[in-house]
Amino acid sequence: RHDVRAVEGEEFARTAEPEVERAFTALAGEGNRNGYNFAGAFYLQAMWEHAAGVREQVYAHIARNPSVVSQPVLPPVFVVGLPRTGSSHLHALLATDPAAATLKMWEMIEPLPLAAPTSWRAR
């Protein structure tokens, strides 16, 4: 919570943060309301707890490194298409451009700590 206040400001922490917490609580409880078995409900709960933890890590990272926010970010390109229309091929083609970056699966699951440029995770 301290990191959220440091990054987003007191107004956000007071107004939006309770809404975010309510949303995570509601999503975490979906397993019980939708009739998932024990394993499904447990997995869903763990998934949302992990997402909340990652969110806290991101805010803590930004609080420790405020210059991250001032880094320029280019608008993303989303490749969408119906099945068998070549969208996967287009995505693969765009991903070969060294000036472009694609999100790797591990970056979606564990965005922090950041990979060192020379580590195998950065490749």
Side-chain angles (χ1 to χ4, degrees):
R1 305 237 185 272
H2 172 72
D3 293 324
V4 173
R5 280 186 167 76
V7 172
E8 298 289 352
E10 192 63 39
E11 179 66 22
F12 177 86
R14 191 170 27 61
T15 58
E17 187 64 18
E19 294 297 322
V20 171
E21 187 172 330
R22 237 187 324 275
F24 270 114
T25 302
L27 289 170
E30 282 298 306
N32 296 332
R33 287 190 292 279
N34 287 325
Y36 291 108
N37 64 19
F38 175 76
F42 180 79
Y43 177 77
L44 193 61
Q45 175 78 24
M47 184 178 67
W48 287 115
E49 287 176 3
H50 176 76
V54 167
R55 182 176 182 271
E56 289 177 15
Q57 287 177 356
V58 168
Y59 272 113
H61 177 74
I62 293 171
R64 286 190 310 272
N65 305 288
S67 64
V68 169
V69 179
S70 64
Q71 296 294 320
V73 178
L74 295 174
V77 173
F78 293 93
V79 177
V80 295
L82 294 171
R84 311 299 309 160
T85 60
S87 55
S88 295
H89 180 64
L90 175 61
H91 177 267
L93 204 59
L94 291 171
T96 61
D97 182 2
T102 58
L103 203 57
K104 296 168 181 62
M105 182 64 119
W106 66 265
E107 290 175 318
M108 289 188 282
I109 297 170
E110 291 290 337
L112 294 168
L114 299 173
T118 58
S119 82
W120 64 271
R121 288 180 70 182
R123 292 184 207 135

